Coordinates of all heavy atoms in Angstrom, one line a residue:
M8 N 75.8 188.6 148.4 CA 76.7 187.7 149.2 C 76.9 188.1 150.6 O 77.5 187.4 151.4 CB 78.0 187.7 148.4 CG 78.8 186.4 148.5 SD 77.9 184.9 148.3 CE 79.3 183.8 148.8
R9 N 76.5 189.3 150.9 CA 76.7 189.8 152.3 C 76.1 188.9 153.4 O 76.8 188.6 154.4 CB 76.1 191.2 152.4 CG 76.7 192.0 153.5 CD 76.0 193.4 153.7 NE 75.4 193.4 155.0 CZ 74.6 194.4 155.4 NH1 74.3 195.4 154.6 NH2 74.2 194.4 156.6
P10 N 74.9 188.4 153.2 CA 74.4 187.5 154.2 C 75.3 186.3 154.4 O 75.4 185.8 155.6 CB 73.0 187.1 153.7 CG 72.6 188.1 152.7 CD 73.9 188.6 152.1
W11 N 75.8 185.8 153.4 CA 76.7 184.6 153.5 C 77.9 184.9 154.3 O 78.3 184.2 155.3 CB 77.1 184.2 152.1 CG 77.8 182.8 152.0 CD1 77.2 181.6 151.7 CD2 79.2 182.5 152.2 NE1 78.2 180.6 151.8 CE2 79.4 181.1 152.1 CE3 80.3 183.3 152.6 CZ2 80.6 180.5 152.2 CZ3 81.6 182.7 152.7 CH2 81.7 181.3 152.5
F12 N 78.6 186.1 154.0 CA 79.7 186.5 154.8 C 79.3 186.8 156.3 O 80.1 186.5 157.2 CB 80.5 187.6 154.1 CG 81.4 187.2 153.0 CD1 81.0 187.3 151.7 CD2 82.6 186.6 153.3 CE1 81.8 186.8 150.7 CE2 83.5 186.1 152.2 CZ 83.0 186.3 150.9
D13 N 78.2 187.5 156.4 CA 77.7 187.9 157.8 C 77.6 186.6 158.6 O 78.0 186.5 159.7 CB 76.4 188.5 157.7 CG 76.5 190.0 157.2 OD1 77.6 190.5 157.0 OD2 75.4 190.6 157.1
N14 N 77.0 185.6 158.0 CA 76.6 184.4 158.6 C 77.9 183.6 159.0 O 78.0 183.1 160.1 CB 75.8 183.6 157.6 CG 74.8 182.7 158.3 OD1 74.6 182.8 159.5 ND2 74.1 182.0 157.5
H15 N 78.8 183.4 158.0 CA 79.9 182.5 158.2 C 81.2 183.1 158.8 O 82.0 182.4 159.3 CB 80.2 181.8 156.9 CG 79.1 180.9 156.4 ND1 78.6 179.8 157.1 CD2 78.3 181.0 155.3 CE1 77.6 179.3 156.5 NE2 77.4 180.0 155.4
C16 N 81.3 184.4 158.6 CA 82.5 185.0 159.0 C 82.4 186.2 160.0 O 83.3 186.5 160.7 CB 83.2 185.6 157.7 SG 83.2 184.5 156.3
G17 N 81.2 186.8 159.9 CA 81.1 188.1 160.7 C 81.3 187.9 162.2 O 81.8 188.8 162.8
G18 N 80.9 186.8 162.7 CA 81.0 186.6 164.2 C 82.4 186.8 164.7 O 82.6 187.4 165.8
C19 N 83.4 186.4 163.9 CA 84.8 186.6 164.4 C 85.5 187.7 163.7 O 86.6 188.1 164.2 CB 85.5 185.3 164.2 SG 84.8 183.8 164.9
H20 N 85.1 188.1 162.5 CA 85.9 189.1 161.7 C 85.3 190.4 161.5 O 85.9 191.3 160.8 CB 86.2 188.4 160.4 CG 87.2 187.3 160.4 ND1 88.5 187.5 160.7 CD2 87.0 186.0 160.3 CE1 89.1 186.3 160.7 NE2 88.2 185.4 160.5
R21 N 84.1 190.7 162.1 CA 83.5 192.0 161.9 C 84.4 193.0 162.7 O 85.2 192.6 163.6 CB 82.1 192.1 162.4 CG 82.0 192.0 163.9 CD 80.5 191.9 164.4 NE 80.5 191.9 165.8 CZ 80.7 190.8 166.5 NH1 80.8 189.6 165.9 NH2 80.7 190.8 167.8
P22 N 84.3 194.3 162.4 CA 85.2 195.3 163.1 C 85.0 195.1 164.6 O 83.9 194.9 165.1 CB 84.6 196.6 162.7 CG 84.1 196.4 161.3 CD 83.5 195.0 161.4
N23 N 86.2 195.1 165.3 CA 86.2 195.0 166.8 C 86.0 193.6 167.3 O 86.0 193.3 168.5 CB 85.3 196.0 167.5 CG 85.6 197.4 167.1 OD1 86.8 197.8 167.0 ND2 84.6 198.2 166.9
A24 N 85.7 192.6 166.4 CA 85.5 191.2 166.9 C 86.9 190.6 167.2 O 87.9 191.2 166.8 CB 84.7 190.4 165.9
S25 N 86.9 189.4 167.8 CA 88.1 188.8 168.2 C 89.2 188.6 167.2 O 90.3 188.8 167.5 CB 87.8 187.4 168.9 OG 87.0 186.7 168.0
D26 N 88.8 188.3 165.9 CA 89.8 188.0 164.9 C 89.8 189.0 163.8 O 90.3 188.7 162.7 CB 89.6 186.6 164.4 CG 89.8 185.6 165.6 OD1 90.9 185.6 166.1 OD2 88.8 184.9 165.9
A27 N 89.3 190.2 164.0 CA 89.3 191.2 163.0 C 90.7 191.6 162.6 O 91.0 192.1 161.5 CB 88.6 192.4 163.5
G28 N 91.7 191.4 163.5 CA 93.1 191.7 163.2 C 93.6 190.8 162.1 O 94.5 191.3 161.3
R29 N 93.1 189.6 161.9 CA 93.6 188.8 160.8 C 93.0 189.1 159.5 O 93.6 189.0 158.4 CB 93.3 187.3 161.1 CG 93.2 186.9 162.5 CD 94.5 186.5 163.0 NE 94.4 186.1 164.4 CZ 95.3 185.4 165.1 NH1 96.4 185.0 164.5 NH2 95.1 185.1 166.3
W30 N 91.7 189.5 159.5 CA 91.0 189.9 158.3 C 89.8 190.7 158.9 O 89.0 190.1 159.6 CB 90.6 188.8 157.4 CG 89.6 189.2 156.4 CD1 89.7 190.2 155.5 CD2 88.2 188.7 156.2 NE1 88.6 190.4 154.7 CE2 87.7 189.5 155.1 CE3 87.5 187.7 156.8 CZ2 86.4 189.2 154.7 CZ3 86.2 187.5 156.3 CH2 85.7 188.2 155.3
E31 N 89.7 192.0 158.6 CA 88.5 192.7 159.1 C 87.4 192.7 158.0 O 87.7 193.2 156.9 CB 88.9 194.1 159.5 CG 87.7 194.9 160.0 CD 88.0 196.2 160.6 OE1 89.0 196.3 161.4 OE2 87.3 197.2 160.2
Y32 N 86.3 192.1 158.3 CA 85.2 192.1 157.4 C 84.2 193.2 157.9 O 83.6 193.1 159.0 CB 84.5 190.7 157.4 CG 83.2 190.8 156.8 CD1 83.0 191.2 155.4 CD2 82.0 190.4 157.5 CE1 81.7 191.2 154.9 CE2 80.8 190.4 156.9 CZ 80.6 190.8 155.6 OH 79.4 190.9 155.0
N33 N 83.9 194.2 157.0 CA 82.9 195.2 157.3 C 81.7 195.0 156.4 O 81.9 195.2 155.2 CB 83.5 196.6 157.2 CG 82.5 197.6 157.7 OD1 81.3 197.4 157.6 ND2 83.1 198.8 158.1
P34 N 80.6 194.6 156.9 CA 79.4 194.4 156.0 C 79.0 195.6 155.2 O 78.4 195.5 154.2 CB 78.3 194.0 157.0 CG 78.9 193.7 158.3 CD 80.3 194.4 158.3
Y35 N 79.4 196.8 155.7 CA 79.0 198.0 155.0 C 80.1 198.6 154.1 O 80.0 199.6 153.5 CB 78.7 199.1 156.1 CG 77.5 198.6 156.9 CD1 77.8 198.2 158.2 CD2 76.2 198.5 156.4 CE1 76.7 197.7 159.0 CE2 75.2 198.0 157.2 CZ 75.5 197.6 158.5 OH 74.4 197.1 159.3
D36 N 81.2 197.8 154.0 CA 82.3 198.2 153.1 C 82.8 197.0 152.2 O 83.5 196.2 152.7 CB 83.4 198.7 154.0 CG 84.6 199.2 153.2 OD1 84.6 199.1 151.9 OD2 85.6 199.6 153.8
A37 N 82.3 197.0 151.0 CA 82.6 195.9 150.1 C 84.0 195.7 149.8 O 84.5 194.7 149.4 CB 81.8 196.0 148.8
T38 N 84.8 196.8 150.0 CA 86.2 196.7 149.7 C 86.9 195.7 150.6 O 88.0 195.2 150.3 CB 87.0 198.0 149.7 OG1 86.9 198.5 151.1 CG2 86.4 199.0 148.8
T39 N 86.3 195.5 151.8 CA 86.9 194.5 152.7 C 86.9 193.1 152.2 O 87.6 192.2 152.6 CB 86.3 194.6 154.2 OG1 84.9 194.3 154.1 CG2 86.6 195.9 154.8
I40 N 86.0 192.9 151.2 CA 86.0 191.6 150.5 C 86.8 191.7 149.2 O 87.7 190.9 149.0 CB 84.5 191.2 150.1 CG1 83.7 190.9 151.3 CG2 84.5 190.0 149.1 CD1 82.2 190.5 151.0
E41 N 86.5 192.7 148.4 CA 87.2 192.9 147.1 C 88.8 192.9 147.3 O 89.5 192.3 146.5 CB 86.8 194.2 146.5 CG 85.6 194.1 145.7 CD 85.0 195.5 145.5 OE1 85.7 196.5 145.5 OE2 83.7 195.6 145.3
N42 N 89.2 193.7 148.2 CA 90.7 193.9 148.4 C 91.4 192.6 148.9 O 92.6 192.5 148.8 CB 91.0 195.0 149.3 CG 90.6 196.4 148.8 OD1 90.3 196.5 147.6 ND2 90.5 197.4 149.6
N43 N 90.6 191.7 149.3 CA 91.2 190.4 149.9 C 90.7 189.2 149.2 O 90.9 188.1 149.7 CB 90.8 190.4 151.4 CG 91.4 191.5 152.2 OD1 92.6 191.6 152.4 ND2 90.6 192.4 152.6
I44 N 90.2 189.4 148.0 CA 89.5 188.2 147.4 C 90.3 187.0 147.2 O 89.9 185.9 147.4 CB 88.7 188.7 146.1 CG1 87.7 187.6 145.6 CG2 89.7 189.1 145.0 CD1 86.6 187.4 146.6
S45 N 91.6 187.2 146.8 CA 92.4 186.0 146.5 C 92.7 185.3 147.8 O 92.7 184.0 147.8 CB 93.7 186.4 145.7 OG 94.5 187.3 146.4
Q46 N 93.0 186.0 148.9 CA 93.2 185.4 150.2 C 92.0 184.7 150.7 O 92.0 183.6 151.2 CB 93.7 186.4 151.2 CG 94.3 185.7 152.4 CD 94.5 186.6 153.6 OE1 94.1 187.8 153.6 NE2 95.2 186.2 154.6
L47 N 90.8 185.3 150.5 CA 89.6 184.7 150.9 C 89.3 183.4 150.2 O 88.9 182.4 150.7 CB 88.4 185.7 150.7 CG 88.5 187.0 151.6 CD1 87.3 187.9 151.3 CD2 88.7 186.7 153.0
Y48 N 89.5 183.4 148.8 CA 89.3 182.2 148.0 C 90.2 181.1 148.6 O 89.8 180.0 148.7 CB 89.7 182.5 146.6 CG 89.4 181.3 145.7 CD1 88.2 181.0 145.2 CD2 90.4 180.4 145.4 CE1 87.9 179.9 144.4 CE2 90.2 179.3 144.6 CZ 89.0 179.1 144.1 OH 88.7 178.0 143.3
K49 N 91.5 181.5 148.9 CA 92.4 180.5 149.3 C 92.0 179.8 150.7 O 91.9 178.6 150.8 CB 93.8 181.1 149.5 CG 94.9 180.1 149.7 CD 96.3 180.8 149.6 CE 96.6 181.8 150.7 NZ 97.8 182.5 150.5
V50 N 91.6 180.6 151.6 CA 91.2 180.0 152.9 C 89.9 179.3 152.9 O 89.7 178.3 153.5 CB 91.3 181.0 154.1 CG1 92.7 181.6 154.3 CG2 90.2 182.1 154.0
I51 N 88.9 179.9 152.1 CA 87.6 179.2 152.0 C 87.6 178.0 151.1 O 87.1 177.0 151.5 CB 86.5 180.3 151.5 CG1 86.4 181.4 152.5 CG2 85.2 179.6 151.4 CD1 85.6 182.6 152.0
Y52 N 88.2 178.2 150.0 CA 88.0 177.1 149.0 C 89.2 176.2 148.8 O 89.1 175.0 148.7 CB 87.6 177.7 147.6 CG 86.9 176.7 146.8 CD1 85.6 176.3 147.0 CD2 87.6 176.0 145.8 CE1 84.9 175.3 146.2 CE2 87.0 175.0 145.0 CZ 85.7 174.7 145.2 OH 85.1 173.7 144.5
T53 N 90.4 176.8 148.7 CA 91.6 175.9 148.4 C 92.0 175.2 149.7 O 92.1 174.0 149.7 CB 92.8 176.8 147.9 OG1 92.3 177.6 146.9 CG2 93.9 175.9 147.4
R54 N 92.2 175.9 150.8 CA 92.6 175.3 152.0 C 91.5 174.8 152.9 O 91.6 173.9 153.7 CB 93.4 176.3 152.9 CG 94.7 176.6 152.4 CD 95.5 177.3 153.6 NE 96.5 178.1 153.1 CZ 96.8 179.3 153.7 NH1 96.1 179.8 154.7 NH2 97.8 180.0 153.2
R55 N 90.3 175.4 152.7 CA 89.1 175.1 153.5 C 89.5 175.2 155.0 O 89.0 174.4 155.8 CB 88.6 173.7 153.2 CG 88.3 173.7 151.7 CD 87.4 172.6 151.2 NE 87.3 172.9 149.7 CZ 86.6 172.1 148.9 NH1 85.9 171.1 149.3 NH2 86.5 172.4 147.6
S56 N 90.2 176.2 155.4 CA 90.6 176.5 156.8 C 89.6 177.5 157.5 O 89.6 177.6 158.7 CB 92.0 176.9 156.9 OG 92.2 178.1 156.1
M57 N 88.9 178.2 156.7 CA 87.9 179.2 157.2 C 86.6 179.0 156.6 O 86.5 178.8 155.3 CB 88.4 180.6 156.9 CG 89.5 181.1 157.8 SD 88.9 181.4 159.5 CE 90.3 180.8 160.4
P58 N 85.5 179.0 157.3 CA 85.4 179.1 158.7 C 85.9 177.8 159.3 O 85.9 176.8 158.7 CB 84.0 179.4 159.0 CG 83.2 178.7 157.9 CD 84.1 178.9 156.7
R59 N 86.3 177.9 160.6 CA 86.8 176.7 161.2 C 85.7 175.6 161.3 O 86.0 174.4 161.2 CB 87.3 177.0 162.6 CG 88.6 177.8 162.5 CD 88.9 178.4 163.9 NE 90.3 178.4 164.1 CZ 90.9 178.8 165.2 NH1 90.1 179.2 166.2 NH2 92.2 178.9 165.3
Q60 N 84.5 176.0 161.6 CA 83.4 175.1 161.6 C 83.1 174.8 160.1 O 82.7 175.7 159.4 CB 82.2 175.7 162.2 CG 81.0 174.8 162.5 CD 80.7 174.8 163.9 OE1 80.9 175.8 164.6 NE2 80.2 173.7 164.4
K61 N 83.3 173.6 159.6 CA 83.3 173.3 158.2 C 82.0 173.7 157.5 O 80.9 173.5 158.1 CB 83.6 171.8 157.9 CG 85.0 171.4 158.3 CD 86.1 172.0 157.4 CE 87.5 171.8 157.9 NZ 88.3 173.0 157.9
L62 N 82.1 174.2 156.3 CA 80.9 174.5 155.5 C 80.3 173.2 154.9 O 81.1 172.3 154.6 CB 81.3 175.4 154.4 CG 81.7 176.8 154.8 CD1 82.4 177.5 153.6 CD2 80.6 177.7 155.3
S63 N 79.0 173.2 154.8 CA 78.4 172.0 154.0 C 78.8 172.2 152.6 O 79.2 173.3 152.1 CB 76.9 172.0 154.2 OG 76.4 173.1 153.5
A64 N 78.6 171.1 151.8 CA 78.9 171.1 150.4 C 78.1 172.2 149.7 O 78.6 172.9 148.8 CB 78.6 169.8 149.8
S65 N 76.8 172.4 150.1 CA 76.0 173.4 149.4 C 76.4 174.8 149.8 O 76.4 175.7 148.9 CB 74.5 173.1 149.6 OG 74.2 173.3 151.0
E66 N 76.8 175.0 151.0 CA 77.3 176.3 151.4 C 78.6 176.7 150.7 O 78.8 177.8 150.3 CB 77.5 176.4 152.9 CG 76.3 176.4 153.7 CD 76.5 176.1 155.2 OE1 77.4 175.3 155.5 OE2 75.7 176.6 156.0
L67 N 79.4 175.7 150.5 CA 80.7 175.9 149.8 C 80.4 176.2 148.3 O 81.0 177.0 147.6 CB 81.6 174.6 149.9 CG 83.1 174.7 149.7 CD1 83.7 175.8 150.5 CD2 83.7 173.4 150.0
E68 N 79.4 175.5 147.7 CA 79.0 175.7 146.4 C 78.5 177.1 146.1 O 78.7 177.7 145.1 CB 77.9 174.6 146.0 CG 77.6 174.5 144.5 CD 78.8 174.2 143.7 OE1 79.7 173.5 144.1 OE2 78.8 174.7 142.5
V69 N 77.7 177.6 147.1 CA 77.2 179.0 147.0 C 78.4 180.0 146.8 O 78.4 180.9 146.0 CB 76.4 179.4 148.2 CG1 76.1 180.9 148.3 CG2 75.1 178.6 148.2
F70 N 79.4 179.8 147.6 CA 80.6 180.6 147.5 C 81.3 180.5 146.2 O 81.6 181.5 145.5 CB 81.6 180.2 148.6 CG 82.9 181.0 148.5 CD1 83.1 182.3 148.9 CD2 84.0 180.4 147.9 CE1 84.3 183.0 148.7 CE2 85.2 181.1 147.7 CZ 85.3 182.4 148.1
K71 N 81.5 179.2 145.7 CA 82.2 178.9 144.5 C 81.5 179.5 143.3 O 82.1 180.1 142.4 CB 82.4 177.4 144.3 CG 83.1 177.0 143.1 CD 84.6 177.3 143.1 CE 85.3 176.6 142.0 NZ 86.3 177.4 141.3
T72 N 80.2 179.4 143.3 CA 79.4 179.9 142.2 C 79.5 181.5 142.1 O 79.7 182.1 141.0 CB 77.9 179.5 142.3 OG1 77.8 178.1 142.4 CG2 77.0 180.0 141.2
W73 N 79.4 182.1 143.3 CA 79.5 183.5 143.4 C 80.9 184.0 142.9 O 81.1 184.9 142.1 CB 79.3 183.9 144.8 CG 79.7 185.4 145.1 CD1 79.0 186.5 144.8 CD2 80.8 185.8 145.8 NE1 79.6 187.6 145.3 CE2 80.8 187.2 145.9 CE3 81.9 185.2 146.4 CZ2 81.8 188.0 146.5 CZ3 82.9 185.9 147.0 CH2 82.8 187.3 147.1
Y74 N 81.9 183.2 143.4 CA 83.3 183.6 143.0 C 83.5 183.5 141.5 O 84.1 184.4 140.8 CB 84.3 182.7 143.7 CG 85.7 183.0 143.4 CD1 86.4 184.0 144.1 CD2 86.4 182.4 142.4 CE1 87.7 184.3 143.8 CE2 87.7 182.7 142.1 CZ 88.4 183.7 142.8 OH 89.7 184.0 142.5
D75 N 83.0 182.4 140.9 CA 83.2 182.1 139.5 C 82.4 183.1 138.6 O 82.7 183.3 137.4 CB 82.8 180.7 139.1 CG 83.8 179.7 139.6 OD1 85.0 180.1 140.0 OD2 83.5 178.5 139.7
S76 N 81.4 183.7 139.2 CA 80.6 184.7 138.4 C 81.2 186.1 138.5 O 80.6 187.1 138.1 CB 79.2 184.7 138.9 OG 79.1 185.2 140.2
G77 N 82.4 186.2 139.0 CA 83.1 187.4 139.1 C 83.0 188.1 140.4 O 83.3 189.3 140.6
H78 N 82.6 187.4 141.4 CA 82.4 187.8 142.8 C 81.9 189.3 143.0 O 82.5 190.1 143.5 CB 83.7 187.6 143.7 CG 85.0 188.0 143.0 ND1 85.5 189.2 143.0 CD2 85.8 187.2 142.3 CE1 86.6 189.2 142.3 NE2 86.8 188.0 141.9
P79 N 80.7 189.5 142.4 CA 80.1 190.9 142.5 C 79.7 191.2 144.0 O 79.2 190.3 144.7 CB 78.8 190.8 141.7 CG 78.4 189.3 141.7 CD 79.8 188.6 141.7
T80 N 80.0 192.4 144.4 CA 79.8 192.7 145.9 C 78.6 193.6 146.0 O 78.3 194.0 147.1 CB 81.0 193.3 146.5 OG1 81.5 194.3 145.6 CG2 82.1 192.3 146.8
N81 N 77.9 194.0 144.9 CA 76.8 194.9 145.1 C 75.5 194.0 145.1 O 75.5 192.8 144.9 CB 76.7 195.9 143.9 CG 76.8 195.2 142.6 OD1 77.0 194.0 142.5 ND2 76.7 196.0 141.5
Ligands
HEC12 C1 85.0 181.1 165.0 C2 85.7 182.3 164.6 C3 86.0 182.4 163.1 C4 85.1 182.4 162.0 C5 83.7 182.1 162.1 C6 85.9 182.7 160.9 N1 87.2 182.9 161.2 FE1 88.7 183.5 160.0 N2 90.1 183.4 161.5 C7 89.8 183.0 162.8 C8 91.0 182.9 163.6 C9 91.1 182.5 165.0 C10 92.1 183.2 162.7 C11 93.6 183.1 162.9 C12 94.2 182.0 162.2 C13 93.9 180.7 162.8 O1 94.1 180.5 164.0 O2 93.4 179.8 162.1 C14 91.4 183.6 161.4 C15 92.2 183.9 160.3 C16 91.6 184.3 159.1 C17 92.3 184.8 158.0 C18 93.8 185.2 157.9 C19 94.5 184.1 157.1 C20 94.9 182.9 158.0 O3 94.6 181.8 157.5 O4 95.4 183.1 159.0 C21 91.4 185.0 157.0 C22 91.6 185.6 155.6 C23 90.1 184.6 157.5 N3 90.3 184.1 158.8 C24 88.9 184.6 156.7 C25 87.7 184.0 157.2 C26 86.6 183.9 156.4 C27 86.5 184.3 154.9 C28 85.6 183.4 157.2 C29 84.2 183.0 156.7 C30 84.1 182.1 155.6 C31 86.1 183.2 158.5 N4 87.4 183.6 158.5 C32 85.4 182.7 159.6 C33 88.5 182.9 163.3 C34 87.3 182.8 162.6

């Protein structure tokens, strides 16, 4: 799932990026996903407020399938 997060979120949320203060996503540290999984689900899937540039249905489906399968980070 790392490429998905790198692609859709990393630009603004990687360490030292403009919006890392709201949620810091570190591609080399899976706990930055795990520890925030319920908030991530909420903004990505429930509210659909992140990323601001809307995801396509298939990109959203990739996230949902991954989440429903227990959101493995390895
Ligand atoms: C273009 C830059 C940009 C991208 C890409 C982006 N974000 Fe954000 N993110 C922001 C900004 C700016 C905020 C501050 C809240 C706001 O203004 O909406 C934010 C806030 C957040 C927050 C804090 C909760 C909140 O709603 O304030 C979370 C969690 C978050 N983003 C997760 C993500 C995830 C997950 C992705 C990828 C799916 C993502 N963001 C992609 C810019 C971005």
Side-chain angles (χ1 to χ4, degrees):
M8 211 41 192
R9 204 185 118 187
W11 192 95
F12 280 101
D13 284 357
N14 213 3
H15 296 299
C16 318
C19 303
H20 289 286
R21 71 182 183 279
N23 302 317
S25 53
D26 298 300
R29 330 269 183 166
W30 167 57
E31 182 173 311
Y32 165 58
N33 184 337
Y35 303 104
D36 180 0
T38 64
T39 59
I40 293 178
E41 275 161 28
N42 293 347
N43 297 288
I44 193 65
S45 59
Q46 193 191 11
L47 298 181
Y48 183 85
K49 191 166 69 185
V50 299
I51 296 168
Y52 200 81
T53 311
R54 286 196 204 141
R55 304 198 179 177
S56 56
M57 284 287 141
R59 290 169 145 182
Q60 190 123 29
K61 295 291 170 227
L62 294 167
S63 70
S65 65
E66 289 165 327
L67 202 53
E68 193 56 32
V69 169
F70 174 80
K71 179 69 166 142
T72 303
W73 169 78
Y74 181 85
D75 288 346
S76 70
H78 42 86
T80 46
N81 50 358

